[in-house]
Amino acid sequence: MDLCRRFGLNVKNVRVAAGHTQEELADLAGVARSYMSDVERGVRNPTLKVVERIAKALDIHPAKLLG
Amino acid sequence: MDLCRRFGLNVKNVRVAAGHTQEELADLAGVARSYMSDVERGVRNPTLKVVERIAKALDIHPAKLLG
DNA sequence: ATGTGACTTACAGTCCGTT
DNA sequence: GAACGGACTGTAAGTCACA
């Protein structure tokens, strides 16, 4: 499984565990709702800056989302 | 310190510890030497696909390079 | 052996929508 | 609530010559 897909699955797991919708998380991270959807499905190739913002929005260390 | 700079410093540390030049690592990762230079100095904002290739070239888990 | 500026092309990321 | 599409803009990918 490639890193984008793994990242997406981790984001989804943490988001759902935190009880947020994609739209809520997208707003917190400052990205578009449709983009969050793509990221979670692993069909996008996000930059480190976006990884950093999503991690912050989820209140988790960025490295955890790649593990 | 932002994630791009942290990533760059980690890449440099691991590369030097492995006894490689920027050019050797760039070749292994399939990027230009000047690009590797930018990444190590944190002046680029690489995507997860690039992170994945560099991690593989360094024979290390991608998450380790964000930690 | 590395830092840097300039450059073109590919795609990251947005915003409108529909299913 | 989320998957998916189309059209758009900004910026990363990727390289090169030179310092």
Side-chain angles (χ1 to χ4, degrees):
Chain A
M1 178 161 58
D2 89 348
L3 194 58
C4 294
R5 182 101 184 98
R6 179 183 312 252
F7 175 71
L9 291 175
N10 287 335
V11 167
K12 178 164 191 173
N13 286 338
V14 175
R15 171 180 66 79
V16 170
H20 290 114
T21 65
Q22 283 183 353
E23 185 160 22
E24 287 168 346
L25 178 56
D27 288 346
L28 284 170
V31 300
R33 173 191 51 78
S34 65
Y35 186 71
M36 266 311 306
S37 170
D38 288 348
V39 165
E40 284 194 356
R41 282 175 296 120
V43 301
R44 289 281 186 154
N45 179 26
T47 62
L48 283 188
K49 285 207 205 303
V50 165
V51 168
E52 188 171 31
R53 276 153 52 192
I54 293 176
K56 194 161 223 169
L58 289 171
D59 195 28
I60 193 176
H61 195 288
K64 283 274 192 183
L65 295 173
L66 303 190
Chain B
M1 179 164 62
D2 89 346
L3 195 57
C4 294
R5 183 169 288 285
R6 179 183 311 252
F7 175 70
L9 291 176
N10 288 336
V11 167
K12 179 165 189 172
N13 286 337
V14 174
R15 170 180 67 79
V16 170
H20 290 115
T21 65
Q22 282 184 354
E23 184 159 23
E24 288 168 344
L25 177 55
D27 288 346
L28 285 169
V31 300
R33 183 195 55 77
S34 65
Y35 186 77
M36 271 304 314
S37 170
D38 288 349
V39 166
E40 284 193 357
R41 282 174 300 118
V43 301
R44 292 267 186 161
N45 178 25
T47 62
L48 283 188
K49 285 210 204 310
V50 168
V51 169
E52 188 170 32
R53 276 154 53 192
I54 293 176
K56 194 161 220 170
L58 288 170
D59 195 28
I60 193 177
H61 194 288
K64 284 274 191 183
L65 295 173
L66 302 191

